[in-house]
């Protein structure tokens, strides 16, 4: 109880190299770690939770300062079950998603299960961060991320985050970073998302694929610009999605 407690989850599964490397990076900080992650990949699950399916929760290992559990549900299920069943209601000092194998900047953060972890922590008013690498190779060397991850976690543990705000942190692929940029989300979209094919038994089937299109490639204050120029991109992300400017302009819509 005297050490800070960090809850870690992801959307790549508890066996993914990224989450194991993250635990290794955090152990020197003098914290207790609880890993509770899906039993397999759950990419694209965002903030989904299992409303109609019973879940399993199993402990994989216990050692000094580190417990590892798996859950049969979504990343958000993992956070909920870890707090309710493993920690018996004790709130962690921090919730971390990652390290994800893939880019979660720009609009990807709306689809990301890694960000779903951070958003679930945020909705419980726990300081939360999602870490992602733009290298999709699960065997990529994540060692160069270590000092950045440790500095960010130390700072969040010491200073906290504003209520309703979490951090979306993305690293360029590779090992040579120019520095850190705190930036906004890039406006972009996925195009050519559906690949239709015809099965030999007479029916069509579909693969969801797509290409990302950056709608503002020269915007130097955006996360995509930062990543394309080899900066670590930190994007403060709000739980409250209200557009307050439009809210004020719509006041004349009110009745009664």
């Amino acid at each position: 109880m005297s050490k800070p407690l960090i809850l870690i989850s992801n959307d790549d599964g508890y066996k993914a190299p990224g989450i194991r490397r993250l635990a290794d990076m955090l152990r020197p900080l003098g914290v207790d770690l609880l890993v509770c992650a899906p039993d397999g990949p759950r990419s694209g699950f965002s903030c989904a939770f299992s409303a109609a399916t019973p879940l399993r929760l199993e402990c994989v290992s216990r050692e000094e300062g580190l417990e590892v559990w798996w859950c049969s549900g979504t990343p958000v299920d993992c956070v909920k079950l870890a707090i309710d069943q493993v920690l018996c209601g004790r709130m962690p000092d921090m919730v971390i998603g990652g390290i994800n194998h893939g880019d979660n900047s720009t609009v990807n953060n709306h689809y990301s299960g890694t960000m779903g972890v951070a958003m679930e922590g945020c909705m419980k008013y726990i300081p939360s961060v999602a870490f992602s690498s733009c290298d999709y190779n699960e065997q990529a060397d994540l060692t160069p991320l270590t000092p950045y991850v440790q500095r960010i976690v130390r700072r969040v543990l010491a200073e906290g985050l504003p209520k309703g705000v979490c951090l979306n942190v993305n690293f360029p692929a590779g090992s040579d970073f120019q520095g850190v940029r705190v930036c906004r989300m890039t406006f972009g979209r996925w195009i050519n998302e559906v690949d239709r094919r015809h099965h030999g038994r007479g029916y069509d089937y579909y693969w969801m694929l797509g290409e990302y299109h950056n709608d503002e490639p020269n915007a130097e204050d955006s996360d995509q610009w930062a990543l394309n120029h080899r900066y670590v991109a930190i994007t403060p992300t709000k739980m409250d999605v209200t557009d307050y400017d439009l809210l004020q302009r719509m006041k004349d819509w009110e009745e009664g």
Side-chain angles (χ1 to χ4, degrees):
M1 295 291 287
S2 62
K3 295 181 180 179
L5 172 63
I6 298 178
L7 170 58
I8 303 173
S9 192
N10 70 355
D11 66 0
D12 292 316
Y14 77 98
K15 293 183 180 179
I19 199 169
R20 292 171 178 258
R21 286 294 299 121
L22 177 60
D24 291 340
M25 294 175 188
L26 298 180
R27 296 194 76 175
L29 302 186
V31 296
D32 285 329
L33 302 176
L34 171 60
V35 175
C36 185
D39 57 354
R42 301 287 192 278
S43 293
F45 272 66
S46 186
C47 289
F49 68 96
S50 301
T53 306
L55 301 173
R56 291 190 59 196
L57 178 67
E58 297 286 345
C59 182
V60 177
S61 62
R62 285 189 180 95
E63 56 186 278
E64 183 68 28
L66 174 64
E67 284 192 19
V68 179
W69 295 66
W70 64 257
C71 166
S72 61
T74 70
V76 166
D77 291 331
C78 292
V79 176
K80 291 179 182 294
L81 280 173
I83 292 174
D84 188 82
Q85 294 296 307
V86 181
L87 298 177
C88 300
R90 177 190 172 190
M91 288 298 175
D93 296 284
M94 192 171 174
V95 171
I96 299 180
I99 296 172
N100 187 66
H101 303 290
D103 181 358
N104 277 325
S105 66
T106 183
V107 294
N108 296 339
N109 84 70
H110 292 296
Y111 301 112
S112 164
T114 307
M115 276 300 294
V117 171
M119 288 300 294
E120 180 64 20
C122 190
M123 285 188 274
K124 292 179 168 22
Y125 309 129
I126 304 168
S128 301
V129 180
F131 290 110
S132 303
S133 168
C134 293
D135 194 328
Y136 286 79
N137 178 8
E138 288 197 359
Q139 303 308 317
D141 182 12
L142 301 178
T143 305
L145 282 57
T146 302
Y148 298 92
V149 169
Q150 290 179 342
R151 284 199 295 269
I152 291 168
V153 171
R154 280 194 182 102
R155 189 150 191 174
V156 172
L157 283 173
E159 302 176 15
L161 289 169
K163 179 180 177 180
V165 177
C166 61
L167 300 183
N168 182 16
V169 182
N170 287 271
F171 293 86
S175 59
D176 56 324
F177 306 136
Q178 294 297 315
V180 177
R181 288 286 183 100
V182 179
C183 42
R184 65 172 175 84
M185 188 188 82
T186 305
F187 278 97
R189 57 209 151 89
W190 284 89
I191 59 175
N192 302 323
E193 295 180 273
V194 181
D195 181 12
R196 184 175 75 175
R197 301 186 184 186
H198 189 74
H199 197 279
R201 294 183 176 176
Y203 59 86
D204 289 338
Y205 64 99
Y206 306 88
W207 286 105
M208 301 303 294
L209 301 171
E211 308 160 27
Y212 175 73
H213 185 272
N214 187 339
D215 291 325
E216 43 178 1
N218 298 316
E220 296 185 13
D221 62 340
S222 69
D223 53 9
Q224 278 284 294
W225 188 95
L227 291 167
N228 290 338
H229 289 80
R230 306 219 49 78
Y231 287 93
V232 179
I234 303 178
T235 304
T237 303
K238 296 184 72 173
M239 178 176 66
D240 182 353
V241 296
T242 307
D243 185 327
Y244 287 96
D245 291 334
L246 183 57
L247 184 151
Q248 292 303 318
R249 296 201 303 272
M250 291 178 65
K251 284 296 184 180
D252 61 348
W253 291 33
E254 294 183 346
E255 299 177 4

